[in-house]
Amino acid sequence: MIKILVIEDDAQVRDNIQVILELEDFDVILAKDGQSGLEKAIASSPDLIVCDVMMPQMDGFEVLSALQSIEATSNIPFIFLTAKADRNDLRQGMESGADDYLTKPFTPKELIKAIQIRLDKKEKYKQKYTQKIQDISEQLEHQLYFDHVTNLPNRLSLREQFNQRLAKTQFIAAKTQMLPIFCLSLDRFNQIQKNLGYDSSEQLLKAFVERLKKSLDAKIFLAYLGANEFGMILPVVEYKTFIVDLANQIKSQLNQPFIVNNQEVFLSASIGIALYEKDAQDIEKILQKAKKAMYKVQENGGNDCEFYSWVLDVHTSRRQRLENDLHYAIERGELSVHYQPQVSLKTGKIMGCEALARWSHPTYNMISPDTFIPIAEEIGLIDKIGEWVLVQACKDLKKWQAFGFMSLKMAVNISVFQLNKADFRQKSINTLLANNILPKYIEFELTESCLVQDLVMAKQKIEALNSLDIRVSIDDFGTGYSSLKSLQKLPFNTLKIDRSFIQNVETNPSNSAITSNLIKIARSLGLKVVAEGVETVGELNFLKQHQCDGIQGFIFSYPLPASEMTNLLREGKCLKIQESLL
């Protein structure tokens, strides 16, 4: 029942209003003065207040002002009653916040109409407010459970969906049934995002989602986990072949390119798979294990799927240990620099060496650079390690120059992260000056994949190094899927042919054709050519016959610690070219 508070000091008027309102089925609360009316308004929270203006002690304006200062009563519809019909009084009443103004005497019809209009208006406001609250709640609900970019359910939705399916699923006693969870990540997407820009990569992500959704069965629940990773709950299955078939089906959806801004973009995906109950029972733990399997796929090059295995826990634990320990490797003296000689194929003499970082871990012994260098890049330590290697290489080179090996060149590997640092050039020259090394004796080796990411920027960086008389070589050429034609625009000095093209070069027609042509083209461009990973006499003979400038590899020497490299130089060891050609 609607409650109406009547505040009126005239008893007869108050009683008349009560009769009129009760005949309309209103619940009437009476107050004989302003103070008691204020107290009853606070205590009973009426739906509407009818209040006389002229009252002793506390008039109607003061009552209204007091009510509006209290949050709980500030929005209660308020109608003034007064015998004064002066325009100024009316204006004062309305300006003070009253909803209406009735002049005494008034008819029952006028009173009821005024009250009904205010109640109707209040109801409309209430409905509008309720609808707005509902709309906001629905928006918040959507934001809580859905990703705003892909419009896919998010991690929270995935968790609830998993629990719902689990509640409905009855696993048989033999436990031959499996509830698979996929964790899928788009390979190289961070690099694609850098190349395309945020808006275009967002379009690409949406296009991928639409294509994936169309290919999936309605029973498969797809969610976006963030950071270009997706989670999927599959229906209960009894055979792993169904799971593998689905993974392959997803991969096949990526065979065709996506078109973004009239540009073709190819995607591939790494998929990790974990199983409820076999691998874990909690959805978060299942996702963690699926991610471990996914990371393993990524480490192996991506574009594949793998089931979780306990072996991955050992691998992950080792990886985490390496990440932590690498932070302290320099301070603990665990890092060292080994040097692999580079030999001239004209004289057979050592013409230089390549500085190679080595890590002797207290638990895992020697850690391959192929393992710890990518970790250093991921956790932001590559700058620190790269600078340290350059310092050690300069110190050792200075020592060898003091022994009389004045023409010896030092090659040092540089990562794209170092090259892109604004202060890399200045830091490098500072290191050379501190060790009294002339820049012409230093050669920075940059991988092909590092250079082709941004040819314009690479050219500027290399020209800046050349201006200091520091030479630059392209390392592992042939593994970055770029053409020599595109790279010839860069002012580098040396081309190093990757081991994969040197292996069995004398008997492998493909390697033979590639290597011989690379040497010819490089020489026509005025580049020096060094072959990496030379191990056999046959490989050496082929390179000599095709006028390769130099080699490095096990056929002459393994990478050596500084002390053993010193001995090798003092011994004057040479590659006996003529004997190798017999």
Side-chain angles (χ1 to χ4, degrees), residues 413-414 416 445-452 473-476:
N413 290 282
I414 301 298
V416 65
E445 294 192 359
L446 301 166
T447 62
E448 177 189 355
S449 57
C450 159
L451 295 173
V452 298
S473 66
I474 293 185
D475 194 16
D476 300 334

Side-chain angles (χ1 to χ4, degrees), residues 99-163:
D99 294 279
D100 206 345
Y101 209 106
L102 285 178
T103 304
K104 299 177 183 177
F106 49 81
T107 66
K109 185 177 180 180
E110 290 175 332
L111 175 63
I112 296 302
K113 183 177 181 181
I115 290 174
Q116 197 60 55
I117 289 173
R118 295 306 139 196
L119 291 176
D120 289 346
K121 188 175 181 180
K122 178 184 178 182
E123 183 61 28
K124 287 180 181 179
Y125 275 125
K126 181 180 178 181
Q127 291 177 0
K128 185 177 180 180
Y129 181 75
T130 302
Q131 183 61 48
K132 186 174 289 187
I133 292 294
Q134 184 178 342
D135 292 343
I136 293 173
S137 298
E138 290 175 356
Q139 290 175 12
L140 291 174
E141 183 85 0
H142 191 273
Q143 292 173 7
L144 184 64
Y145 287 95
F146 288 82
D147 172 68
H148 74 282
V149 175
T150 63
N151 207 32
L152 285 176
N154 61 14
R155 194 185 196 95
L156 182 59
S157 292
L158 183 78
R159 183 187 302 132
E160 292 194 1
Q161 178 68 205
F162 175 80
N163 292 332

Side-chain angles (χ1 to χ4, degrees), residues 265-333:
V265 180
F266 284 90
L267 294 178
S268 62
S270 297
I271 303 173
I273 307 165
L275 306 174
Y276 172 85
E277 195 170 43
K278 174 179 175 291
D279 297 323
Q281 296 184 358
D282 176 75
I283 182 59
E284 291 300 327
K285 291 181 179 178
I286 298 174
L287 280 174
Q288 288 175 11
K289 294 182 185 294
K291 271 195 174 185
K292 288 179 181 179
M294 181 190 74
Y295 292 150
K296 182 63 177 175
V297 175
Q298 290 175 332
E299 288 179 15
N300 293 335
N303 195 31
D304 205 349
C305 66
E306 181 160 331
F307 284 87
Y308 166 79
S309 165
W310 64 268
V311 176
L312 297 178
D313 285 331
V314 177
H315 174 81
T316 303
S317 175
R318 181 177 186 270
R319 161 84 184 209
Q320 188 61 54
R321 172 78 183 275
L322 292 179
E323 285 187 13
N324 294 339
D325 290 350
L326 192 54
H327 283 275
Y328 306 102
I330 294 177
E331 289 77 4
R332 292 172 178 171

Side-chain angles (χ1 to χ4, degrees), residues 178 182 237-248 307:
M178 295 172 284
F182 279 17
V237 298
E238 293 190 7
Y239 303 101
K240 278 190 174 182
T241 52
F242 172 83
I243 303 172
V244 175
D245 287 345
L246 177 61
N248 289 331
F307 284 87

Side-chain angles (χ1 to χ4, degrees), residues 6-19 30-33 52 54-56 104:
V6 177
I7 307 173
E8 172 63 63
D9 62 335
D10 187 319
Q12 184 178 354
V13 175
R14 187 171 63 243
D15 292 341
N16 288 340
I17 293 176
Q18 180 181 12
V19 172
L30 301 177
K32 63 182 180 179
D33 56 53
D52 188 17
M54 303 301 295
M55 294 183 293
K104 299 177 183 177

Side-chain angles (χ1 to χ4, degrees), residues 526-542:
L527 303 176
K528 185 175 76 173
V529 183
V530 175
E532 295 183 297
V534 181
E535 297 182 359
T536 69
V537 172
E539 293 167 355
L540 181 63
N541 289 344
F542 180 92

